[in-house]
Amino acid sequence: MPSLFEVDRAEQLAQQATENAKSGKLSDAARLLREATTIAPEHPLVKQAWIALREEEEKSELLGVCKDWVKSQDENDGEKALKLIRTKGLGGKEAEQAMEMLYDFKGEDDLLDQVTGELLQHVEAQRWLAAFVKEHPTQAYYELFERGDDSIDGLLKVLLNRAVWEADEAFVQGHRDCFMLSLAMMMEEALEHPERAMKGVAQLLAHHAQNLHGIIDADSFDVILTSLDIRLPQSLRSQATLATIKLVELAPSTAQDLVSKYVISRVQKSIADELVVAFSAAAAIFPITAKAASELFLSEGFVSTLVPLVEGKNSSKLEQAALELISAACIDKNCREAINKHCRIWLEDLVSNCPDKKRANLAALVLVKIGEEQSSSEGPVIVTPGKVDQDDLIASFKSMVISSDTSGKQDSIEGLAYASLQPKFREDLSKSPKFLRRLIESMKHASASSNVLFGGLTILVNLTAYPPIQSEEEKRMAQLKAYANVQKPSPPDPLLDEAHTAVRCKRVLEAGVVPLLVGTAKKASPTALSHITSILLSLSTDPKSRPALAQQGAVKLLVQIYDTVTSSSNTEKYPPTAAPSAARALSKILISTNPTHTFTQALPSTSVLRPLVSLLPQSDSSTWQLHAFESLLALTNLASMDQPTQDAIIRSAFDVVTDDLLLSPNTLLQRASTELLCNLMASPACAEKFADGSPRAGKRLHLLCALADVEDKGTRSAAGGALAMLLSIDLAVHELLKVERGVELVLGLCRDENEDIRHRGVACVREIVAIGPKGIDAVKAKGGEGVLKVLLKESRSQHVVQLGAETLTILLGKK
């Protein structure tokens, strides 16, 4: 029988539980009542509190279903719970209480795993799990690990969300506990689902490595490297690769030393299984730290004994691992030379005789990568004719891409990506519409791996790449470097000229590449997105292709790419050329397309202004003037749309155009800037900047008048058009009369040899005299009467003669 003190304690707990139940804190109420029940199970207040709690629980349909499910463990109840979570709004407390209630389940259960993953999308459920991990890290980890992938993903979501942890200390300790538990799990023999544990290792290293100091040792690193074994599932290997990348980033020299010891120790054992693991790890390291990997690969005796070592074991998996390593090593020129010297005959034998298609394809891929590699040594070189011709290998890869067999597609596409660096193979691949269509179909396929997509994009980049634009100074420097190296500058390959490239771009566009790029860009990596941008930039070079690009969604895609690349969180992920390339492609397309057909409510014209304007300021690039010129042409085209677009351009680009580009010594830039102003002058906002009476506006007006007198006909014409629109406002005429030589420069337009420019000039004079005596006197003072009479005699345009006669009548006071 409980003592009076214990009874009092049970009553307090029951009262607190009742209050918690009423306020929705059902899990807290249940915890208090369990404690009260252990003290005084028969106490009336305790029993009443349990009844009150059950009533509150029954108010939530989900909690009722979860309670039934825990008791019955019937799959139908689980399906009900999952449906309720997905279809009905879930309160935060409901998620927390359901999470606690379902924690009584043990073991692996796919349905429970899905429900747990759904619940852990909610902050309250995450907060509950964070508290549980703090108190019971081992229990929480092992039970969620056993449940399944969704549960482990939910745990990682909690570990990475600082907001659901009560303090920084608990947050950091949670990382350390779960990281050690993940490593310990990886060390267990015959572990099922090791990828779940490796995911914990990789994600915590990727996001919070600073919290894991002192945990990682050589044994831990061995566990990660062993998980790179080619015989293991790709899901595990990809997580192990991520973890390895992060470890190399954190401590390059230490990590590289550990990798070398790991590989060498296993190679020295000369056991097939150990060699497979060693070669797998070495292959994975090459893309991460090529310098360290190549030093290991080129260490004395490694490459020269590799082929005899592999052949002596008679193991297909070891052969595969060796091929993976050799393929990865081709990233380094010295490694390619060593492979060519020590492995070529073996590779050719595999291509010709290996019964396994995958290994034969991989050997062919390596042969394509090393190509006709020449030794860098100055001594005599013994050339042995190869058994396998490069052209035959490329033809074979091309056939594999065209065929419906998917087994060898990845290696074939990778091989063609290397081959397409050579002009003759670029041309050959582009001439096969069937190949291009099948390549694009393979990349579009839902099951396409990232390697297939990336390799395909690389092929398309190479096929469409134009020769780089060089300034005269850059051409001279290239020649000087060639002479300094005692090399005669080699003539450019004719297949790489602009004419051949334009034809290749046309073929790629006709094969349907743009819908592919639009579809794949959403989930593309930074490198893949940069490739997509390069392809679109090349395709947009031909003016005839631009309308098709716009119709197929290229404008919207380029805007999205530019916004993604330039967002503050992404600037370091992309090469510095990515954003300018997207902007340049946009400007090219928008020069040659009707903006009213391109832009909609979903894609407003203002969305392209930020990338276009980014090309206008002067930069260190030798080609910035060309890019600024193209941007100005695109903006001029946009300015023909409507006043809202004009006003947006004025807000974003007016200052750089008037303060810098109008004064440019480059004739084309000056002309394009003036043409843009001519189109913008239809907006009152632009006219105001020339006629508001401020000193700055006066300088702008003076500059515009001066541009009407320059040598370039296009600039004079655009300046005349801008003045004609501006002077339709009386206030602007009065401001013009204040400009030194303003009327004289306008009359100069009337003397121009070009009929269109004369038309604009006489239109300006007509507006000046229309304000009355002040304007008439100003024109007369500058000899306007004689200018108009000459114009009437020489002009052959009826419009010019009619307007000139009307203006002269006013000037002479006859109207």
Side-chain angles (χ1 to χ4, degrees):
M1 184 174 178
S3 65
L4 290 175
F5 175 79
E6 288 174 329
V7 170
D8 186 49
R9 171 65 178 161
E11 289 175 350
Q12 289 179 6
L13 291 170
Q15 289 172 355
Q16 290 176 16
T18 302
E19 292 172 3
N20 281 339
K22 290 179 179 178
S23 62
K25 299 177 181 177
L26 303 188
S27 59
D28 291 343
R31 178 176 52 79
L32 293 169
L33 284 177
R34 283 195 292 269
E35 183 181 348
T37 302
T38 60
I39 298 170
E42 300 301 323
H43 196 291
L45 283 180
V46 175
K47 291 183 176 181
Q48 289 173 12
W50 274 116
I51 293 170
L53 174 59
R54 291 190 185 98
E55 290 174 351
E56 290 296 331
E57 285 178 346
E58 287 170 1
K59 293 178 182 178
S60 165
E61 186 179 0
L62 172 64
L63 295 180
V65 170
C66 287
K67 187 175 181 182
D68 293 340
W69 187 21
V70 172
K71 287 181 180 179
S72 68
Q73 299 206 0
D74 187 328
E75 194 171 292
N76 290 328
D77 290 330
E79 292 285 0
K80 289 179 187 176
L82 185 59
K83 185 177 180 181
L84 284 170
I85 295 170
R86 288 177 172 172
T87 58
K88 292 190 176 182
L90 194 62
K93 288 298 178 184
E94 272 188 301
E96 176 188 350
Q97 290 151 18
M99 190 73 195
E100 181 177 17
M101 196 175 288
L102 294 176
Y103 219 80
D104 289 338
F105 266 108
K106 307 298 178 190
E108 185 171 9
D109 185 299
D110 184 58
L111 197 55
L112 177 62
D113 182 44
Q114 292 182 61
V115 169
T116 302
E118 292 288 343
L119 287 174
L120 286 172
Q121 300 294 325
H122 296 266
V123 172
E124 291 297 331
Q126 292 181 24
R127 192 169 281 119
W128 180 89
L129 183 57
F132 192 85
V133 169
K134 178 176 179 277
E135 298 298 329
H136 311 285
T138 304
Q139 179 187 350
Y141 183 87
Y142 276 93
E143 290 183 356
L144 290 173
F145 185 95
E146 194 174 9
R147 281 192 191 183
D149 293 330
D150 291 343
S151 298
I152 281 294
D153 288 345
L155 173 61
L156 290 173
K157 192 185 295 289
V158 170
L159 290 170
L160 300 180
N161 185 0
R162 170 63 187 86
V164 300
W165 294 80
E166 62 180 19
D168 287 340
E169 293 79 7
F171 185 54
V172 172
Q173 191 59 45
H175 295 159
R176 296 179 68 82
D177 288 338
C178 289
F179 188 77
M180 287 188 286
L181 287 163
S182 296
L183 283 174
M185 190 72 84
M186 287 299 303
M187 293 178 186
E188 290 188 9
E189 291 186 14
L191 175 67
E192 292 185 16
H193 308 296
E195 69 280 356
R196 294 177 191 167
M198 186 54 70
K199 186 180 290 186
V201 171
Q203 293 300 315
L204 287 170
L205 276 173
H207 294 92
H208 293 287
Q210 72 278 5
N211 296 336
L212 307 174
H213 289 306
I215 299 178
I216 305 166
D217 56 14
D219 290 339
S220 305
F221 203 71
D222 277 12
V223 168
I224 295 170
L225 292 176
T226 302
S227 300
L228 298 169
D229 190 334
I230 63 166
R231 295 168 293 189
L232 296 174
Q234 184 58 38
S235 57
L236 172 58
R237 294 173 63 199
S238 61
Q239 293 296 330
T241 301
L242 176 60
T244 306
I245 291 170
K246 196 61 187 180
L247 287 172
V248 172
E249 287 178 1
L250 292 171
S253 59
T254 303
Q256 291 163 13
D257 183 53
L258 289 173
V259 170
S260 296
K261 289 178 179 177
Y262 179 90
V263 173
I264 291 170
S265 66
R266 280 156 179 77
V267 170
Q268 288 174 344
K269 292 179 182 178
S270 193
I271 300 171
D273 280 349
E274 296 288 348
L275 289 170
V276 171
V277 176
F279 291 169
S280 300
I285 292 299
F286 260 101
I288 300 170
T289 170
K291 185 176 183 295
S294 59
E295 288 175 1
L296 174 62
F297 188 82
L298 296 170
S299 59
E300 187 176 353
F302 190 94
V303 188
S304 59
T305 61
L306 191 148
V307 170
L309 185 64
V310 172
E311 289 183 323
K313 300 300 178 185
N314 194 27
S315 165
S316 60
K317 282 298 180 184
L318 177 56
E319 200 171 78
Q320 177 74 21
L323 287 168
E324 298 272 7
L325 171 57
I326 292 172
S327 179
C330 287
I331 194 173
D332 179 84
K333 178 174 174 56
N334 292 327
C335 291
R336 290 198 301 273
E337 288 182 6
I339 293 166
N340 193 41
K341 180 179 179 182
H342 297 288
C343 308
R344 187 177 195 102
I345 295 174
W346 176 61
L347 292 167
E348 291 178 343
D349 284 340
L350 286 175
V351 171
S352 303
N353 304 316
C354 183
D356 181 73
K357 184 186 286 188
K358 181 173 177 60
R359 299 203 302 279
N361 285 348
L362 190 49
L365 171 60
V366 176
L367 287 173
V368 169
K369 287 182 177 181
I370 61 176
E372 304 299 331
E373 189 67 43
Q374 299 297 316
S375 174
S376 58
S377 64
E378 296 181 0
V381 179
I382 300 173
V383 179
T384 305
K387 298 179 183 177
V388 181
D389 187 73
Q390 284 278 306
D391 290 0
D392 293 339
L393 292 174
I394 302 308
S396 175
F397 283 154
K398 185 175 167 184
S399 298
M400 288 179 193
V401 173
I402 293 173
S403 74
S404 56
D405 183 8
T406 59
S407 60
K409 267 198 171 50
Q410 179 172 314
D411 290 338
S412 300
I413 289 173
E414 186 179 352
L416 293 175
Y418 275 86
S420 61
L421 291 168
Q422 300 181 45
K424 67 174 182 177
F425 292 129
R426 287 188 197 185
E427 193 68 12
D428 175 66
L429 294 174
S430 74
K431 285 181 177 178
S432 172
K434 189 173 183 180
F435 165 76
L436 292 175
R437 287 196 301 270
R438 291 294 292 161
L439 174 66
I440 289 170
E441 287 171 13
S442 300
M443 295 166 69
K444 275 183 181 178
H445 201 278
S447 62
S449 69
S450 58
N451 289 336
V452 167
L453 180 61
F454 185 77
L457 288 173
T458 303
I459 293 171
L460 295 172
V461 167
N462 292 338
L463 261 57
T464 59
Y466 275 85
I469 300 172
Q470 287 186 311
S471 66
E472 290 303 317
E473 183 180 354
E474 287 172 331
K475 290 177 183 176
R476 286 195 298 271
M477 289 299 297
Q479 289 176 336
L480 288 173
K481 285 180 181 178
Y483 287 127
N485 293 329
V486 197
Q487 292 177 346
K488 184 178 179 181
S490 56
D493 193 305
L495 293 176
L496 296 181
D497 63 19
E498 289 192 12
H500 282 88
T501 306
V503 173
R504 288 197 295 271
C505 285
K506 184 173 182 290
R507 294 168 182 159
V508 169
L509 182 61
E510 290 173 347
V513 72
V514 177
L516 165 73
L517 302 182
V518 171
T520 57
K522 297 171 186 175
K523 296 182 180 179
S525 67
T527 306
L529 210 60
S530 297
H531 277 9
I532 290 172
T533 307
S534 297
I535 294 166
L536 289 172
L537 177 58
S538 295
L539 295 180
S540 64
T541 300
D542 183 359
K544 295 178 182 177
S545 299
R546 294 168 185 172
L549 286 167
Q551 290 166 10
Q552 295 174 35
V555 172
K556 184 177 181 179
L557 174 57
L558 286 165
V559 171
Q560 292 170 342
I561 291 174
Y562 185 88
D563 290 344
T564 299
V565 172
T566 57
S567 68
S568 57
S569 60
N570 285 336
T571 49
E572 295 180 358
K573 297 179 183 177
Y574 294 88
T577 56
S581 293
R584 288 174 54 204
L586 263 178
S587 66
K588 288 176 182 290
I589 294 172
L590 295 174
I591 289 170
S592 307
T593 55
N594 186 335
T596 59
H597 297 163
T598 303
F599 297 102
T600 61
Q601 190 171 1
L603 181 66
S605 59
T606 52
S607 64
V608 301
L609 295 187
R610 199 165 68 92
L612 292 181
V613 173
S614 72
L615 297 174
L616 298 181
Q618 183 173 347
S619 71
D620 295 332
S621 169
S622 61
T623 56
W624 81 267
Q625 291 180 322
L626 171 61
H627 305 156
F629 174 70
E630 291 174 336
S631 177
L632 287 168
L633 295 184
L635 289 167
T636 302
N637 196 15
L638 284 177
S640 67
M641 275 189 72
D642 50 39
Q643 189 176 321
T645 302
Q646 294 162 359
D647 291 343
I649 295 172
I650 291 165
R651 287 192 298 271
S652 58
F654 185 84
D655 288 343
V656 69
V657 171
T658 55
D659 296 347
D660 299 330
L661 300 177
L662 276 180
L663 298 169
S664 173
N666 184 297
T667 300
L668 292 177
L669 275 182
Q670 190 175 68
R671 181 198 302 167
S673 302
T674 312
E675 289 173 344
L676 173 58
L677 277 182
C678 183
N679 277 10
L680 292 177
M681 203 64 80
S683 166
C686 185
E688 183 181 2
K689 290 183 176 292
F690 288 86
D692 66 3
S694 67
R696 193 173 185 188
K699 290 180 180 178
R700 291 184 185 127
L701 184 55
H702 189 280
L703 174 59
L704 188 57
C705 291
L707 290 169
D709 192 37
V710 297
E711 186 176 343
D712 180 66
K713 180 179 72 174
T715 304
R716 294 199 309 275
S717 177
L723 283 169
M725 283 188 282
L726 177 63
L727 296 177
S728 65
I729 304 169
D730 288 353
L731 180 61
V733 176
H734 288 287
E735 292 300 318
L736 176 76
L737 297 179
K738 300 176 185 177
V739 174
E740 183 181 354
R741 298 185 64 234
V743 173
E744 182 181 337
L745 291 168
V746 168
L747 287 170
L749 293 170
C750 298
R751 300 189 189 95
D752 204 283
E753 295 177 358
N754 183 274
E755 201 72 64
D756 289 336
I757 296 177
R758 282 197 290 218
H759 189 186
R760 297 180 179 206
V762 75
C764 291
V765 178
R766 174 66 178 82
E767 298 295 349
I768 295 172
V769 299
I771 67 166
K774 191 172 182 180
I776 292 171
D777 292 345
V779 171
K780 283 183 175 180
K782 296 298 181 180
E785 183 179 335
V787 171
L788 290 174
K789 287 180 179 179
V790 172
L791 177 141
L792 291 175
K793 287 181 182 178
E794 296 181 351
S795 179
R796 297 179 181 179
S797 167
Q798 183 180 351
H799 295 294
V800 173
V801 171
Q802 183 178 345
L803 189 57
E806 183 181 329
T807 305
L808 185 59
T809 300
I810 297 173
L811 192 64
L812 297 175
K814 297 179 180 180
K815 184 176 180 180

